[in-house]
């Protein structure tokens, strides 16, 4: 990897808790219990007051999203990050050999990849790929595609763009398991530049060491734990079920069985074999056992965990025996930018770099979880000392904050008052 650029929306797209509450109250399908659930979830989500939302939602047009709204949302983010990426590296768009764009919930024709080719007047022999439906782990899927394509292309450049369409997929119904996406997902994304040219080795910031993909789509529970669907009232949204954490645990456990032997020293491998044998013998894989006997820090220096939500971050941390220092980047990325889907990992990585944690020779384990259900993990080697404040430039000095308790907790204390259960809105 030569460089990456994360997106930061303008100030007029800030989506703090107060604005979120106003958006919630615009939904006339909700009753008092649904209002209380949403506000409680927002206030306790681990998301801060400076995340960003899509233009149509901020402006009150979430009930009637248009095709132009979705295209504009993608254009602004993709072109902003690519402009900065090309300017930073000095690589021209005409030099790009491979382009991969991943957006799960929006796939127009011509494709978003074609829009990039048209905007930057890229070559006619460029290999383009447009991935949809791959969920929050799509970045690592795209990188895996690039590394395979590199095997048949020498001295090539590849660009990966990872983001998500939020505005057109804002849920307007009242199913609690579908409301969660409105509480967690925010606008964001990232563009990355890769090469397999040995002549550019000195300019690289990361080198891909290992990559393992795990897919549990053959099992009904993992397959259905997070998916786009329509509720009984006909409202489209993204369903997140209670089985999500268990599915994530299963996928991560299976992934580590393959990845751990590639990155851990012999002493840890012996323990890993023992743990795998015990799980096979008991015929179960619980979240508590997922990382038992493994000390991942013997093989990697940093962990970059998808900032999908406070519960997922905490569960991964507990299962793998990680401390607050290890989990800080994911928690802070979630607090500052929210869950930006496939782009979230790079805000996490950007935090580590801005805090000057990344030193030459360090290894980074990147853990991504997404719909399907998939767990796609990879290990990067840091090629030189890094300290670019990147997208964190205006806020890194305030992180980590003394507390991540939502300032609206007291103002919204009525949502926990059982004596208000008789209230009905008209």
């Amino acid at each position: 990897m030569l460089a990456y650029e994360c997106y930061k929306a303008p100030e007029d797209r800030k989506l703090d808790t107060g604005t979120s509450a106003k958006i919630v109250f615009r939904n006339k399908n909700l009753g008092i219990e649904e209002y209380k659930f949403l506000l409680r979830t927002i206030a306790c989500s681990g998301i801060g007051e400076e995340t960003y939302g899509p233009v149509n939602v901020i402006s009150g047009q979430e009930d009637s999203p248009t095709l132009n709204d979705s295209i504009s949302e993608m254009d602004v983010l993709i072109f902003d990050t690519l402009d900065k990426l090309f300017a930073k590296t000095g690589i021209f768009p005409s030099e790009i050999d491979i382009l991969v764009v991943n957006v799960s919930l929006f796939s127009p024709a011509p494709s978003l990849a074609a829009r990039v080719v048209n905007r930057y007047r890229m070559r006619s022999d460029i290999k383009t790929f447009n991935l949809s439906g791959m969920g929050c782990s799509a970045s690592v899927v795209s990188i895996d595609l690039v590394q395979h394509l590199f095997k048949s292309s020498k001295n090539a450049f590849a660009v990966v763009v990872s983001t998500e369409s939020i505005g057109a997929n804002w849920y307007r119904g009242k199913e609690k398991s579908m409301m969660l996406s409105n509480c967690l997902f925010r606008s964001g994304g990232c563009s990355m530049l890769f090469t397999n040219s040995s002549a550019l080795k000195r300019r690289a910031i990361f080198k891909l060491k290992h990559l393992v993909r795990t897919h549990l789509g053959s099992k009904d529970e993992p397959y259905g734990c997070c998916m786009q669907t329509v509720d009984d009232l006909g409202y489209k949204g993204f369903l997140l079920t209670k089985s999500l954490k268990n599915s994530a645990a299963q996928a991560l456990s299976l992934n580590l069985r393959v990845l751990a032997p590639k990155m851990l020293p012999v002493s840890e491998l012996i323990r890993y074999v023992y743990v795998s044998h015990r799980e096979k013998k008991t015929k179960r894989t619980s979240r508590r056992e997922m990382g038992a006997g493994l000390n991942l820090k013997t093989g990697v220096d940093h962990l970059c965990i998808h900032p999908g939500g406070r519960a997922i971050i905490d569960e991964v941390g507990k299962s793998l025996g990680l401390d607050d220092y290890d989990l800080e980047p994911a928690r802070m990325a979630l607090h500052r930018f929210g869950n930006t889907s496939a782009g979230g990992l790079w805000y996490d990585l950007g935090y580590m770099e801005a805090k000057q944690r990344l030193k030459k020779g360090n290894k980074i384990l990147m853990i991504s979880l997404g719909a399907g259900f998939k767990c796609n993990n990879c290990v990067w080697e840091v090629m030189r000392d890094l300290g670019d404040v990147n997208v964190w430039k205006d806020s890194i000095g305030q992180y980590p904050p003394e507390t991540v308790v939502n300032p609206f907790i007291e103002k919204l204390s009525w949502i926990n008052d059982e004596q208000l259960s008789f209230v009905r809105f008209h």
Side-chain angles (χ1 to χ4, degrees):
M1 178 185 281
L2 295 178
Y4 64 101
E5 279 292 331
C6 293
Y7 178 69
K8 181 182 177 184
E11 295 297 302
D12 59 4
R13 287 176 56 185
K14 285 279 181 70
L15 192 57
D16 58 21
T17 306
T19 304
S20 297
K22 292 177 182 177
I23 295 172
V24 168
F25 279 99
R26 289 203 299 254
N27 187 345
K28 303 307 179 185
N29 292 309
L30 305 184
I32 183 65
E33 288 306 315
E34 288 82 13
Y35 281 120
K36 290 170 67 176
F37 170 79
L38 267 176
L39 295 175
R40 185 187 301 114
T41 302
I42 292 171
C44 301
S45 65
I47 293 178
E49 297 299 289
E50 299 198 345
T51 61
Y52 305 97
V55 172
N56 69 308
V57 174
I58 298 294
S59 61
Q61 304 299 314
E62 67 270 18
D63 284 341
S64 54
T66 66
L67 176 61
N68 285 337
D69 287 337
S70 297
I71 291 177
S72 176
E73 180 184 4
M74 294 295 95
D75 281 355
V76 169
L77 188 151
I78 293 174
F79 298 153
D80 177 83
T81 55
L82 284 177
D83 286 347
K84 292 176 180 176
L85 187 70
F86 291 135
K88 175 188 284 188
T89 61
I91 302 299
F92 293 102
S94 59
E95 297 180 79
I96 304 304
D97 303 284
I98 301 166
L99 171 65
V100 185
V101 177
N102 61 74
V103 178
S104 288
L105 302 179
F106 182 53
S107 185
S111 69
L112 294 172
R115 293 184 68 82
V116 173
V117 172
N118 179 261
R119 165 67 180 260
Y120 292 100
R121 299 296 187 257
M122 292 175 164
R123 301 196 318 265
S124 60
D125 63 344
I126 187 172
K127 296 181 177 68
T128 62
F129 301 85
N130 204 92
L131 307 183
S132 64
M134 304 303 287
C136 297
S137 63
S139 269
V140 179
V141 174
S142 299
I143 293 168
D144 187 38
L145 175 59
V146 167
Q147 76 158 342
H148 280 87
L149 292 169
F150 272 170
K151 293 177 182 179
S152 59
S153 302
K154 295 183 179 180
N155 300 319
F157 288 108
V159 164
V160 170
V161 181
S162 294
T163 184
E164 189 55 274
S165 172
I166 305 296
N169 296 283
W170 196 265
Y171 179 61
R172 303 182 302 283
K174 61 178 182 179
E175 292 294 329
K176 291 183 179 179
S177 56
M178 296 175 71
M179 293 179 192
L180 289 172
S181 61
N182 289 0
C183 302
L184 295 173
F185 287 99
R186 295 293 184 266
S187 296
C190 183
S191 291
M192 299 142 264
L193 178 62
F194 302 90
T195 185
N196 61 351
S197 172
S198 58
L200 295 173
K201 182 177 180 180
R202 292 182 180 275
R203 291 183 56 185
I205 55 176
F206 303 113
K207 179 181 179 181
L208 183 64
K209 302 293 289 184
H210 312 290
L211 191 151
V212 174
R213 293 168 58 182
T214 303
H215 201 307
L216 299 184
S218 62
K219 300 179 180 179
D220 290 341
E221 184 177 275
Y223 174 78
C225 71
C226 52
M227 65 189 306
Q228 189 177 26
T229 187
V230 177
D231 68 12
D232 294 338
L233 298 177
Y235 291 106
K236 182 178 65 175
F238 203 74
L239 175 71
L240 300 172
T241 71
K242 293 182 179 179
S243 62
L244 175 59
K245 286 198 294 185
N246 186 53
S247 298
Q250 292 180 46
L252 180 55
S253 178
L254 290 172
N255 188 282
L256 287 178
R257 290 184 185 183
V258 180
L259 182 59
K262 300 176 184 292
M263 66 180 188
L264 297 180
V266 175
S267 59
E268 286 303 312
L269 293 181
I270 294 173
R271 276 196 267 176
Y272 185 80
V273 170
Y274 168 74
V275 171
S276 298
H277 176 72
R278 184 177 65 181
E279 290 179 348
K280 183 177 181 181
K281 186 176 181 179
T282 58
K283 296 183 180 180
R284 64 176 182 173
T285 303
S286 70
R287 291 191 298 272
R288 189 174 300 276
E289 293 173 334
M290 180 169 62
L294 287 174
N295 181 2
L296 296 179
K297 298 300 287 290
T298 61
V300 297
D301 304 281
H302 310 282
L303 287 99
C304 183
I305 303 168
H306 169 59
R310 190 178 68 175
I312 289 293
I313 295 171
D314 291 348
E315 197 70 26
V316 171
K318 181 175 68 174
S319 300
L320 298 180
L322 307 179
D323 57 27
D324 288 340
Y325 179 84
D326 298 322
L327 298 178
E328 181 182 306
R331 287 170 172 166
M332 297 306 104
L334 177 68
H335 186 270
R336 177 61 183 85
F337 295 99
N339 181 349
T340 56
S341 190
L345 286 168
W346 310 102
Y347 293 92
D348 192 333
L349 192 66
Y351 182 87
M352 297 183 199
E353 184 175 357
K355 285 293 186 181
Q356 299 185 350
R357 292 187 178 190
L358 305 181
K359 306 300 181 183
K360 182 178 180 179
N362 283 176
K363 302 291 194 309
I364 305 166
L365 171 59
M366 187 171 276
I367 298 175
S368 69
L369 302 161
F373 190 86
K374 299 184 290 295
C375 177
N376 301 316
N377 301 340
C378 60
V379 177
W380 298 96
E381 179 181 352
V382 182
M383 301 302 288
R384 51 189 166 89
D385 291 357
L386 300 176
D388 185 2
V389 290
N390 54 76
V391 74
W392 288 89
K393 179 180 179 180
D394 298 327
S395 53
I396 193 63
Q398 288 76 51
Y399 278 86
E402 293 183 4
T403 178
V404 293
V405 175
N406 192 292
F408 278 74
I409 286 291
E410 293 186 9
K411 187 174 182 179
L412 299 176
S413 60
W414 61 272
I415 64 179
N416 294 315
D417 192 340
E418 295 299 329
Q419 296 183 20
L420 290 178
S421 60
F422 67 89
V423 174
R424 295 292 181 273
F425 290 152
H426 298 282

